[in-house]
């Protein structure tokens, strides 16, 4: 069995593209693989989660995603659908 344990998981890679049987592109792009985000380890903060906010008014909040190791996610551009509810 090959020793592949250190080759699997989050890491940075260099990407090249090949179309059909042609050569690989001469330009490259960097891409970072990452561990999945875990909601229970992530947090949301900012004015949008304060108790004084009004319903149906635009506000902001920040979502800090963390993985199973508690490490912050270093990439972004994810879409979220969130619903904030006031504790009674």
């Amino acid at each position: 069995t090959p020793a592949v344990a250190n080759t699997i998981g989050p890491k940075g890679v260099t990407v090249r593209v090949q179309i059909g049987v042609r050569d690989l592109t001469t330009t490259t792009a960097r891409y970072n693989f990452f561990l999945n985000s875990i909601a229970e380890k992530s947090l949301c903060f900012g004015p949008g989660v304060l108790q004084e906010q009004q319903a149906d008014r635009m506000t902001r909040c920040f979502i800090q995603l963390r993985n199973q190791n508690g490490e912050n996610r270093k990439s972004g551009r994810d879409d979220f659908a969130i619903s904030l509810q006031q504790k009674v």
Side-chain angles (χ1 to χ4, degrees):
T1 306
V4 296
N6 293 333
T7 65
I8 299 171
K11 62 178 72 186
V13 296
T14 302
V15 178
R16 292 179 184 259
V17 177
Q18 179 182 25
I19 300 173
V21 295
R22 295 182 164 177
D23 291 335
L24 292 169
T25 56
T26 57
T27 56
T28 61
R30 294 285 303 151
Y31 183 80
N32 289 315
F33 288 97
F34 50 86
L35 290 172
N36 289 337
S37 301
I38 306 296
E40 291 79 12
K41 297 211 175 236
S42 302
L43 55 112
C44 181
F45 61 95
V49 298
L50 295 176
Q51 187 172 357
E52 297 82 23
Q53 294 300 305
Q54 295 179 348
D56 294 324
R57 298 285 183 190
M58 183 176 284
T59 188
R60 292 180 185 220
C61 64
F62 299 91
I63 300 172
Q64 180 60 60
L65 295 177
R66 294 190 173 143
N67 62 25
Q68 63 195 20
N69 300 329
E71 301 166 333
N72 290 336
R73 174 96 170 260
K74 296 182 176 129
S75 60
R77 311 265 324 168
D78 293 336
D79 292 326
F80 294 93
I82 62 172
S83 174
L84 301 176
Q85 298 176 356
Q86 182 178 1
K87 283 187 177 181
V88 180

